[in-house]
Amino acid sequence: MFKTENISTVAAWLHHAQHIVAFTGAGISTPSGIPDFRSSDSGMWATVDPMTVASIYGFRHNPQAFYDWVRPLIQLTHDAKSNPAHLALSKLEQINKLDAVITQNIDMLHTRAGNKTVYELHGHMREATCINCFHIHDGMVILEKFLEDGKVPHCVKCNGIIKPNVILFGEQLPIVELQNAKKVARNSDLMLVIGSSLEVAPASDIPVIAKQSGAKIVIVNLEPTTLDSMADIVIYGDAAEILPAIVQSLEQLT
Ligand code: APR
């Protein structure tokens, strides 16, 4: 169970801060039924080698292995609902207490929760691109058909292989999203870092940029992270419980 005094301290920091940014990872979506990657018991990397199934080299070599691996994640994401942690961040944006969400997640649950300014550093599934002619397809249409037939999708234009617009290991992050994320991190005076092991760069550089720019760092995570030592407060626990408690405490201050 988390310490309630930390909740009220973070709420007070939120009350006084001018430029607040949230940085999220897969842990914010586990309460929505989507597994994360590195949780010791249930993470998706516990059973497969990410470089084989989720790198751009692995994809080009064997796209069926990628699609077989990602199929349950696509189904879960398709059916998932935003959870109280996502809704707490949406509430913060509504009351002008959140400039942006920077997320590593591809599940689009921040947008579904109502957040308008969301930087998706590792892409999303709204679009899918042919790796041969680069024709852009509607990702939802492509993935619905894949969930039905289980077949690697091919391009209507050139019959090339289609890849969802998610960033695989070995791929560049979307430059505009990354630049926007760095800009709001540099401008922030408070960053909430939620549900990430902070093990994957360059995304994990974002909280460091915020810290170096003078922001207070609050980490909310079930397990210790690689950046706990630089955080101003670390709250160990379930984001779906902690974030609503922080927002509730903040609302008592306003
Ligand atoms: N509340 C708070 N923290 C949680 C919760 C929860 N309900 N559920 C899980 N966590 C924590 C886990 O303890 C873990 O430390 O969230 C963290 C998730 O870490 P990862 O599984 O490593 O996910 P993430 O940090 O988002 O991974 C970054 O790695 O594999 C790539 O591209 C993939 O975007 C992903 C990137």
Side-chain angles (χ1 to χ4, degrees):
M1 191 57 187
F2 48 84
K3 292 186 207 142
T4 48
E5 63 269 24
N6 280 341
I7 299 292
S8 44
T9 302
V10 173
W13 289 356
L14 276 166
H15 183 61
H16 293 296
Q18 299 300 309
H19 292 289
I20 303 151
V21 174
F23 176 91
T24 68
I28 200 169
S29 295
T30 59
S32 297
I34 300 174
D36 67 13
F37 296 95
R38 295 175 184 81
S39 269
S40 29
D41 48 353
S42 56
M44 291 186 77
W45 296 147
T47 53
V48 289
D49 169 13
M51 292 308 146
T52 307
V53 295
S55 70
I56 190 59
Y57 324 102
F59 183 88
R60 287 185 181 281
H61 174 66
N62 181 356
Q64 192 68 55
F66 165 79
Y67 276 105
D68 290 346
W69 166 73
V70 82
R71 189 173 192 174
L73 187 62
I74 293 171
Q75 187 65 62
L76 288 168
T77 301
H78 180 270
D79 304 338
K81 302 257 182 300
S82 302
N83 67 60
H86 297 109
L87 296 171
L89 293 184
S90 178
K91 176 76 177 171
L92 285 180
E93 185 179 78
Q94 285 163 28
I95 62 175
N96 294 316
K97 278 292 174 183
L98 195 68
D99 288 356
V101 176
I102 301 166
T103 190
Q104 301 168 92
N105 300 341
I106 60 172
D107 57 34
M108 304 169 284
L109 288 180
H110 287 300
T111 311
R112 281 189 208 159
N115 281 88
K116 302 279 183 292
T117 308
V118 181
Y119 300 130
E120 297 165 311
L121 296 184
H122 292 170
H124 53 81
M125 292 192 271
R126 292 183 296 277
E127 292 169 335
T129 302
C130 173
I131 62 170
N132 179 50
C133 73
F134 305 107
H135 179 68
I136 296 176
H137 299 71
D138 180 324
M140 294 296 111
V141 170
I142 295 293
L143 296 178
E144 294 261 354
K145 183 172 178 308
F146 164 68
L147 288 177
E148 279 164 24
D149 63 23
K151 290 187 184 131
V152 173
H154 284 77
C155 178
V156 288
K157 297 262 183 197
C158 74
N159 200 38
I161 291 170
I162 296 175
K163 180 179 100 41
N165 281 20
V166 298
I167 304 301
L168 302 184
F169 287 107
E171 283 193 287
Q172 289 291 331
L173 271 57
I175 192 66
V176 172
E177 302 286 289
L178 184 58
Q179 295 305 342
N180 284 335
K182 287 180 176 177
K183 188 174 166 201
V184 295
R186 270 193 290 271
N187 188 46
S188 67
D189 50 10
L190 176 61
M191 180 172 278
L192 307 176
V193 180
I194 305 151
S196 180
S197 61
L198 298 169
E199 292 198 16
V200 176
S204 57
D205 297 341
I206 297 295
V208 177
I209 290 170
K211 180 72 178 181
Q212 287 169 344
S213 305
K216 281 194 175 64
I217 303 297
V218 176
I219 292 179
V220 175
N221 211 60
L222 273 181
E223 297 166 336
T225 79
T226 57
L227 295 181
D228 284 4
S229 58
M230 72 154 214
D232 295 277
I233 282 188
V234 180
I235 307 178
Y236 293 122
D238 181 352
E241 289 175 26
I242 293 167
L243 289 186
I246 290 171
V247 172
Q248 192 182 15
S249 180
L250 170 66
E251 288 178 318
Q252 286 159 11
L253 298 174
T254 42

